[in-house]
Amino acid sequence: MKDHVHKIHQARIKQTSTAIPKKGTLHQPLNHFDKKNDKTFPQKFFVNDVYWQSSDGPVFLYIGGEGPLSKFSLMFGHHVDMAERHGALLVSLEHRFYGQSINPDGLETEKLRDLSSQQALADLASFHHYISRRFGLSQRNTWISFGGSYAGALSAWLRGKFPHLIYGAVASSAPVQAQLDFSSYNRVVAYSLMNEAVGGSKKCLAEVKGVFAAVEAALLMGNETEVGKDFGCCETPLKPEDKMELLQSLADIFMGTVQYNEEGVAFSIAELCDIMTNKSEAFGQKEEAYDRLVKLAAMYRVRENVPCLDVSHEKLVLELTNTKAVSSYRQWLYQTCTEFGFYQTCEDTFCPFSRMVTLQSQTELCSRLFDIPQDSLPFRIDFTNQYYGGNRPQTQRVLYVNGNIDPWTELSVVWNDTSVDDERAILIDGTAHCMDMNSDKSMDKPALHQARKEIERRVAMWLKSAASQHMV
């Protein structure tokens, strides 16, 4: 998800040093579905057994997503709080090809063929078997899976594909519907920027639309040098693709602000909109919105410790071509090309940013980097939805949790279908991406407090139901 690897602020440590999770490595098959292939890769995992009181206690599986897995995933968060209450064994598995769970040559294009959500689910099933043997678990040990964002989708899919292993699943901000042209992402960004309940306003959205039109016009009229200096660019955006990168970088400030509002980003929606609508006397009347965006970009660079905005498209391509890089961008881009799409375009009238960010401009990287034809993407994405059920999954005991200002909610399950599973969706008013996964804090919105209570109720209900089945 490029800048959308989900961020969770950590609460204060409640545990002693003895509660630090134990790290391990499991050697997994590179291809679970080709029994003639005996190649493996090292997969990192963590175990926290500090709360596990009873041999027949539950197991809470925290699923790693499109980035490195940290020991903190089993030390903090709502799932850890619930594990303490229910005496659960906490386990977590890093996603294949991310973090340390990759062979030295794993980022080469031909090796990326073994990177997929299907293989990741098979990894989790194999991990289930490993943990069960290591701790002497049986059918009496009820497994509940947890995940956020892409890992939230994996949590839901794991329950759907392996219902005999996973009794229930919590899927937070989970984009279970693959979509090539994810234009509705920026539509939600626009709505959230004018949502007064979270600090937005119609005036804020109007200012954002106007200023992006002004920046685009300045770039197209030959003022690249001036614009480049104004926004602290590392290089002058002379080429069309560099101008697009600049406009995307500026849009990312707003997109990230909306997605993670108040949680691990440079600005909140309220602060961003205050800056964009504050017609201070310090600015002249001419291009005042432009000047405010310049100020916002400067503040962003300081807060994110970014010396300058990198707007070279060629440099981006070189970074994505680098098979020795430590970032997760190359792997995730490959997954968007082969399975998900998720391209946040700006070609419809709802988008408040530049129309230069097109589907064509984003998908051309698939063919350029991985030799994946652009015209093959619709088929690949359709297959993903056919395989998992999209946002109409026929699964039970999966709880989909979303915040209504989070753009990824558009690709999740947000309604309750009583014919399949009563009350399987929680939509939290005024809440951003994966916020429910944090521990409860006094300053959280009432709706967020209530959502966590409902999650706790459902998990407790699943555990009680499973226990009664084991007694039969």
Side-chain angles (χ1 to χ4, degrees), residues 395-399 416-425 454 457-458 461-462:
T395 51
Q396 293 184 322
R397 290 196 296 273
V398 177
L399 186 60
N416 288 306
D417 184 351
T418 54
S419 66
V420 179
D421 188 8
D422 187 35
E423 298 179 358
R424 63 176 178 173
E454 178 60 16
R457 187 185 74 81
R458 292 301 295 270
M461 186 176 72
W462 291 340

mmCIF file of all heavy atoms in Angstrom, residues 395-399 416-425 454 457-458 461-462:
data_model
loop_
_atom_site.group_PDB
_atom_site.id
_atom_site.type_symbol
_atom_site.label_atom_id
_atom_site.label_comp_id
_atom_site.label_asym_id
_atom_site.label_seq_id
_atom_site.Cartn_x
_atom_site.Cartn_y
_atom_site.Cartn_z
ATOM 1 N N THR A 395 -18.809 -16.355 4.826
ATOM 2 C CA THR A 395 -18.103 -16.920 5.968
ATOM 3 C C THR A 395 -18.813 -16.555 7.261
ATOM 4 O O THR A 395 -19.516 -15.545 7.332
ATOM 5 C CB THR A 395 -16.655 -16.398 6.032
ATOM 6 O OG1 THR A 395 -16.676 -14.974 5.936
ATOM 7 C CG2 THR A 395 -15.812 -16.964 4.902
ATOM 8 N N GLN A 396 -18.607 -17.372 8.267
ATOM 9 C CA GLN A 396 -19.178 -17.127 9.587
ATOM 10 C C GLN A 396 -18.066 -16.872 10.591
ATOM 11 O O GLN A 396 -16.926 -17.286 10.394
ATOM 12 C CB GLN A 396 -20.021 -18.321 10.034
ATOM 13 C CG GLN A 396 -21.276 -18.510 9.196
ATOM 14 C CD GLN A 396 -22.138 -19.635 9.724
ATOM 15 O OE1 GLN A 396 -21.626 -20.660 10.175
ATOM 16 N NE2 GLN A 396 -23.450 -19.457 9.696
ATOM 17 N N ARG A 397 -18.437 -16.196 11.686
ATOM 18 C CA ARG A 397 -17.503 -15.847 12.761
ATOM 19 C C ARG A 397 -16.297 -15.067 12.243
ATOM 20 O O ARG A 397 -15.151 -15.316 12.631
ATOM 21 C CB ARG A 397 -17.071 -17.099 13.530
ATOM 22 C CG ARG A 397 -18.200 -17.708 14.372
ATOM 23 C CD ARG A 397 -17.683 -18.670 15.403
ATOM 24 N NE ARG A 397 -17.048 -19.839 14.825
ATOM 25 C CZ ARG A 397 -17.688 -20.943 14.461
ATOM 26 N NH1 ARG A 397 -19.006 -21.030 14.623
ATOM 27 N NH2 ARG A 397 -17.039 -21.960 13.961
ATOM 28 N N VAL A 398 -16.554 -14.117 11.343
ATOM 29 C CA VAL A 398 -15.554 -13.128 10.942
ATOM 30 C C VAL A 398 -16.136 -11.758 11.264
ATOM 31 O O VAL A 398 -17.240 -11.429 10.825
ATOM 32 C CB VAL A 398 -15.213 -13.200 9.434
ATOM 33 C CG1 VAL A 398 -14.217 -12.105 9.071
ATOM 34 C CG2 VAL A 398 -14.647 -14.570 9.076
ATOM 35 N N LEU A 399 -15.420 -10.978 12.052
ATOM 36 C CA LEU A 399 -15.877 -9.654 12.453
ATOM 37 C C LEU A 399 -15.080 -8.596 11.708
ATOM 38 O O LEU A 399 -13.864 -8.493 11.880
ATOM 39 C CB LEU A 399 -15.712 -9.481 13.965
ATOM 40 C CG LEU A 399 -16.269 -8.191 14.576
ATOM 41 C CD1 LEU A 399 -17.772 -8.076 14.329
ATOM 42 C CD2 LEU A 399 -15.969 -8.147 16.073
ATOM 43 N N ASN A 416 -24.390 -5.629 7.663
ATOM 44 C CA ASN A 416 -24.690 -6.904 8.306
ATOM 45 C C ASN A 416 -25.681 -7.699 7.468
ATOM 46 O O ASN A 416 -26.730 -7.191 7.074
ATOM 47 C CB ASN A 416 -25.260 -6.669 9.702
ATOM 48 C CG ASN A 416 -24.198 -6.175 10.664
ATOM 49 O OD1 ASN A 416 -23.161 -6.805 10.804
ATOM 50 N ND2 ASN A 416 -24.442 -5.047 11.308
ATOM 51 N N ASP A 417 -25.326 -8.921 7.179
ATOM 52 C CA ASP A 417 -26.157 -9.830 6.396
ATOM 53 C C ASP A 417 -26.617 -10.950 7.320
ATOM 54 O O ASP A 417 -25.872 -11.888 7.597
ATOM 55 C CB ASP A 417 -25.337 -10.389 5.226
ATOM 56 C CG ASP A 417 -26.171 -11.279 4.312
ATOM 57 O OD1 ASP A 417 -27.326 -11.590 4.681
ATOM 58 O OD2 ASP A 417 -25.672 -11.647 3.237
ATOM 59 N N THR A 418 -27.826 -10.822 7.829
ATOM 60 C CA THR A 418 -28.315 -11.774 8.834
ATOM 61 C C THR A 418 -28.490 -13.185 8.284
ATOM 62 O O THR A 418 -28.549 -14.142 9.049
ATOM 63 C CB THR A 418 -29.656 -11.302 9.424
ATOM 64 O OG1 THR A 418 -30.576 -11.065 8.358
ATOM 65 C CG2 THR A 418 -29.466 -10.020 10.215
ATOM 66 N N SER A 419 -28.522 -13.309 6.959
ATOM 67 C CA SER A 419 -28.667 -14.645 6.386
ATOM 68 C C SER A 419 -27.366 -15.432 6.469
ATOM 69 O O SER A 419 -27.355 -16.642 6.308
ATOM 70 C CB SER A 419 -29.110 -14.540 4.917
ATOM 71 O OG SER A 419 -28.088 -13.952 4.123
ATOM 72 N N VAL A 420 -26.240 -14.718 6.687
ATOM 73 C CA VAL A 420 -24.942 -15.389 6.747
ATOM 74 C C VAL A 420 -24.406 -15.402 8.174
ATOM 75 O O VAL A 420 -24.106 -16.424 8.742
ATOM 76 C CB VAL A 420 -23.923 -14.690 5.806
ATOM 77 C CG1 VAL A 420 -22.563 -15.381 5.898
ATOM 78 C CG2 VAL A 420 -24.430 -14.709 4.370
ATOM 79 N N ASP A 421 -24.277 -14.254 8.776
ATOM 80 C CA ASP A 421 -23.710 -14.162 10.122
ATOM 81 C C ASP A 421 -24.209 -12.874 10.756
ATOM 82 O O ASP A 421 -23.884 -11.792 10.307
ATOM 83 C CB ASP A 421 -22.179 -14.161 10.034
ATOM 84 C CG ASP A 421 -21.519 -14.256 11.401
ATOM 85 O OD1 ASP A 421 -22.235 -14.467 12.381
ATOM 86 O OD2 ASP A 421 -20.289 -14.128 11.466
ATOM 87 N N ASP A 422 -25.008 -12.995 11.765
ATOM 88 C CA ASP A 422 -25.632 -11.835 12.380
ATOM 89 C C ASP A 422 -24.599 -10.867 12.941
ATOM 90 O O ASP A 422 -23.679 -11.257 13.641
ATOM 91 C CB ASP A 422 -26.578 -12.299 13.489
ATOM 92 C CG ASP A 422 -27.397 -11.158 14.058
ATOM 93 O OD1 ASP A 422 -27.761 -10.256 13.280
ATOM 94 O OD2 ASP A 422 -27.677 -11.179 15.256
ATOM 95 N N GLU A 423 -24.760 -9.592 12.620
ATOM 96 C CA GLU A 423 -23.931 -8.527 13.166
ATOM 97 C C GLU A 423 -22.437 -8.813 13.001
ATOM 98 O O GLU A 423 -21.684 -8.897 13.955
ATOM 99 C CB GLU A 423 -24.260 -8.296 14.645
ATOM 100 C CG GLU A 423 -25.687 -7.855 14.872
ATOM 101 C CD GLU A 423 -26.019 -7.650 16.343
ATOM 102 O OE1 GLU A 423 -25.131 -7.890 17.178
ATOM 103 O OE2 GLU A 423 -27.146 -7.260 16.633
ATOM 104 N N ARG A 424 -22.013 -8.938 11.772
ATOM 105 C CA ARG A 424 -20.603 -9.237 11.520
ATOM 106 C C ARG A 424 -19.791 -7.997 11.198
ATOM 107 O O ARG A 424 -18.574 -8.094 10.990
ATOM 108 C CB ARG A 424 -20.470 -10.230 10.367
ATOM 109 C CG ARG A 424 -20.996 -9.701 9.032
ATOM 110 C CD ARG A 424 -20.748 -10.702 7.936
ATOM 111 N NE ARG A 424 -21.288 -10.252 6.662
ATOM 112 C CZ ARG A 424 -21.081 -10.882 5.519
ATOM 113 N NH1 ARG A 424 -20.332 -11.964 5.496
ATOM 114 N NH2 ARG A 424 -21.599 -10.426 4.413
ATOM 115 N N ALA A 425 -20.419 -6.826 11.107
ATOM 116 C CA ALA A 425 -19.712 -5.607 10.741
ATOM 117 C C ALA A 425 -19.874 -4.541 11.814
ATOM 118 O O ALA A 425 -20.953 -4.344 12.359
ATOM 119 C CB ALA A 425 -20.221 -5.078 9.402
ATOM 120 N N GLU A 454 -17.547 -4.079 21.874
ATOM 121 C CA GLU A 454 -18.280 -5.023 21.023
ATOM 122 C C GLU A 454 -17.352 -6.104 20.498
ATOM 123 O O GLU A 454 -17.736 -7.285 20.418
ATOM 124 C CB GLU A 454 -18.949 -4.276 19.862
ATOM 125 C CG GLU A 454 -19.704 -5.159 18.886
ATOM 126 C CD GLU A 454 -20.840 -5.963 19.513
ATOM 127 O OE1 GLU A 454 -21.279 -5.635 20.652
ATOM 128 O OE2 GLU A 454 -21.288 -6.934 18.883
ATOM 129 N N ARG A 457 -16.845 -8.465 23.260
ATOM 130 C CA ARG A 457 -18.047 -9.285 23.455
ATOM 131 C C ARG A 457 -18.083 -10.429 22.456
ATOM 132 O O ARG A 457 -18.397 -11.576 22.806
ATOM 133 C CB ARG A 457 -19.297 -8.418 23.311
ATOM 134 C CG ARG A 457 -20.594 -9.147 23.661
ATOM 135 C CD ARG A 457 -21.813 -8.296 23.385
ATOM 136 N NE ARG A 457 -22.098 -8.178 21.967
ATOM 137 C CZ ARG A 457 -22.746 -9.114 21.251
ATOM 138 N NH1 ARG A 457 -23.178 -10.225 21.837
ATOM 139 N NH2 ARG A 457 -22.965 -8.921 19.967
ATOM 140 N N ARG A 458 -17.758 -10.120 21.200
ATOM 141 C CA ARG A 458 -17.804 -11.154 20.175
ATOM 142 C C ARG A 458 -16.729 -12.217 20.391
ATOM 143 O O ARG A 458 -16.979 -13.413 20.233
ATOM 144 C CB ARG A 458 -17.632 -10.521 18.782
ATOM 145 C CG ARG A 458 -18.801 -9.651 18.350
ATOM 146 C CD ARG A 458 -20.113 -10.437 18.300
ATOM 147 N NE ARG A 458 -20.091 -11.465 17.281
ATOM 148 C CZ ARG A 458 -20.477 -11.290 16.019
ATOM 149 N NH1 ARG A 458 -20.934 -10.112 15.626
ATOM 150 N NH2 ARG A 458 -20.425 -12.266 15.151
ATOM 151 N N MET A 461 -17.753 -14.383 23.190
ATOM 152 C CA MET A 461 -18.855 -15.245 22.755
ATOM 153 C C MET A 461 -18.318 -16.428 21.950
ATOM 154 O O MET A 461 -18.764 -17.571 22.125
ATOM 155 C CB MET A 461 -19.836 -14.431 21.917
ATOM 156 C CG MET A 461 -21.098 -15.174 21.521
ATOM 157 S SD MET A 461 -22.247 -14.088 20.638
ATOM 158 C CE MET A 461 -21.387 -13.912 19.070
ATOM 159 N N TRP A 462 -17.346 -16.163 21.065
ATOM 160 C CA TRP A 462 -16.735 -17.248 20.284
ATOM 161 C C TRP A 462 -16.060 -18.260 21.201
ATOM 162 O O TRP A 462 -16.213 -19.469 21.026
ATOM 163 C CB TRP A 462 -15.708 -16.683 19.302
ATOM 164 C CG TRP A 462 -16.288 -15.875 18.182
ATOM 165 C CD1 TRP A 462 -17.568 -15.900 17.718
ATOM 166 C CD2 TRP A 462 -15.595 -14.924 17.369
ATOM 167 N NE1 TRP A 462 -17.720 -15.025 16.676
ATOM 168 C CE2 TRP A 462 -16.530 -14.409 16.439
ATOM 169 C CE3 TRP A 462 -14.291 -14.437 17.342
ATOM 170 C CZ2 TRP A 462 -16.187 -13.452 15.487
ATOM 171 C CZ3 TRP A 462 -13.937 -13.484 16.395
ATOM 172 C CH2 TRP A 462 -14.880 -12.994 15.478
#
